[in-house]
Amino acid sequence: MKIKKITKAVFPVAGMGTRFLPATKSVPKEIMTLVDRPLIQYAIDEARAAGIREFIFVTSRGKSALEDYFDVAPDLENTLRKAGKKELLAVLKGTNMDSGAIAYVRQNRPLGLGHAVWCARRLIGNEPFAVLLPDDVIAAEKPCLKQMVEAYAETGGNMVATMEVSPEKASSYGVLDVAEDMGAIVRAKGMVEKPKASEAPSNLAVIGRYILSPNVLNNLNKMKQGAGGEIQLTDAIAQEIGGEESVYGYRFRGQRYDCGSKAGFLQATVAFGLAREDLQREFSDFLHDMMAQQKAAQ
Ligand code: G1P
């Protein structure tokens, strides 16, 4: 099987982030800080590690801070250079994007994730591409998308990241109907967006990493409203099932944090804070004391 290399990734970042109001009144959700980096930087780093060279952002009104974030900041760089702050300079430069490597398209109406990806169709063209939802932050030894690119080299088709969730949580996700379970990889015979708990076909939820065939964009051309009245990416992927290219779920190795929810964001903050050598000691001592105080107060 001849597999085309995945070099383009779509980052849907048009959402209003209402769950984080009032913070998101003036700051895009994707710029909110996890330890010392904005959420979007984690997704970008993961994409880069997987070989992505072209980054397509689907934005909306009020997201200009995102564009500025990826631009070079000559004044800031000069100041750091003069002050001899080499490490900070390197960190700063790591956020720059080469001219031409990054593109922005606007989703001018909030019609759903499928519609957001469809907005990028002309930039994607006729080749397989990745989609990363920056709300899903995944801590992993080997970055999740890289794991998927390697698995995809074996399967081709379409691939979604997946993980087991409890039955009562399934209705918050896209859920796979499994035809064949091969361990890390499962082949799907169906996919449902946000099923009722009693109707979920399995407990394998879709997590925000996808490798998709360009056929999915064609499907989106004709897509009608699905769950929640939105144009769903899940539905466009599900249409591929039974066609030429299969749909696979990939059980990634790693820990996913739902940074689209407050509890998930806090959990990620603790986990990523503890994983940082420069913060570990002080932070874990603090957490220890906090827990002890809480216990004593109970
Ligand atoms: C989106 C997708 C859903 C997927 C989820 C993962 O839903 O539509 O299929 O399971 O991301 O985070 P959202 O969380 O945007 O409602």
Side-chain angles (χ1 to χ4, degrees), residues 13-90:
V13 291
M16 289 199 287
T18 46
R19 277 196 267 179
F20 284 93
L21 279 171
T24 46
K25 186 179 171 199
S26 66
V27 179
K29 179 176 63 172
E30 299 76 18
I31 291 290
M32 291 197 336
T33 315
L34 187 51
V35 187
D36 54 7
R37 289 191 285 165
L39 266 195
I40 192 69
Q41 187 67 48
Y42 292 86
I44 293 287
D45 289 347
E46 185 182 326
R48 274 197 180 127
I52 299 298
R53 296 287 165 263
E54 287 182 60
F55 303 80
I56 304 164
F57 289 82
V58 183
T59 69
S60 60
R61 185 175 292 276
K63 298 278 178 165
S64 47
L66 258 176
E67 296 194 26
D68 290 342
Y69 175 75
F70 290 115
D71 209 351
V72 281
D75 292 346
L76 196 51
E77 284 185 16
N78 273 336
T79 310
L80 294 177
R81 198 171 293 116
K82 277 190 199 139
K85 297 194 167 159
K86 283 193 191 142
E87 273 174 32
L88 275 181
L89 191 62

Side-chain angles (χ1 to χ4, degrees), residues 1-11 43-55 128-132 138 142-162 184-185 209-212 248-253:
M1 194 182 351
K2 177 110 181 59
I3 303 280
K4 218 167 172 260
K5 214 169 167 254
I6 312 292
T7 59
K8 293 183 181 176
V10 179
F11 301 82
I44 293 287
D45 289 347
E46 185 182 326
R48 274 197 180 127
I52 299 298
R53 296 287 165 263
E54 287 182 60
F55 303 80
F129 60 100
V131 177
L132 293 94
I138 301 173
K142 183 184 281 184
C144 179
L145 191 63
K146 189 171 168 60
Q147 295 177 35
M148 287 174 71
V149 163
E150 288 173 8
Y152 171 82
E154 307 288 322
T155 62
N158 297 275
M159 184 171 275
V160 301
T162 186
I185 299 174
R209 302 289 183 273
Y210 307 77
I211 297 176
L212 300 176
Y248 300 94
Y250 178 75
R251 289 190 176 97
F252 58 93
R253 295 177 303 281

Side-chain angles (χ1 to χ4, degrees), residues 19 113 133 135-136 172-175 192-194 205-208 210 232-234 256 258:
R19 277 196 267 179
L113 178 61
L133 308 187
D135 275 0
D136 283 331
S172 307
Y173 295 92
V175 179
V192 201
E193 181 67 16
K194 307 209 168 72
V206 175
I207 298 305
Y210 307 77
Q232 296 292 352
L233 184 59
T234 299
R256 171 259 187 174
D258 175 12

Side-chain angles (χ1 to χ4, degrees), residues 191-193 216 219-220 223-227 230-240:
M191 248 177 118
V192 201
E193 181 67 16
V216 170
N219 300 343
L220 284 168
M223 220 67 228
K224 300 205 181 71
Q225 290 176 341
E230 298 190 337
I231 296 173
Q232 296 292 352
L233 184 59
T234 299
D235 296 342
I237 301 169
Q239 265 199 9
E240 287 299 285

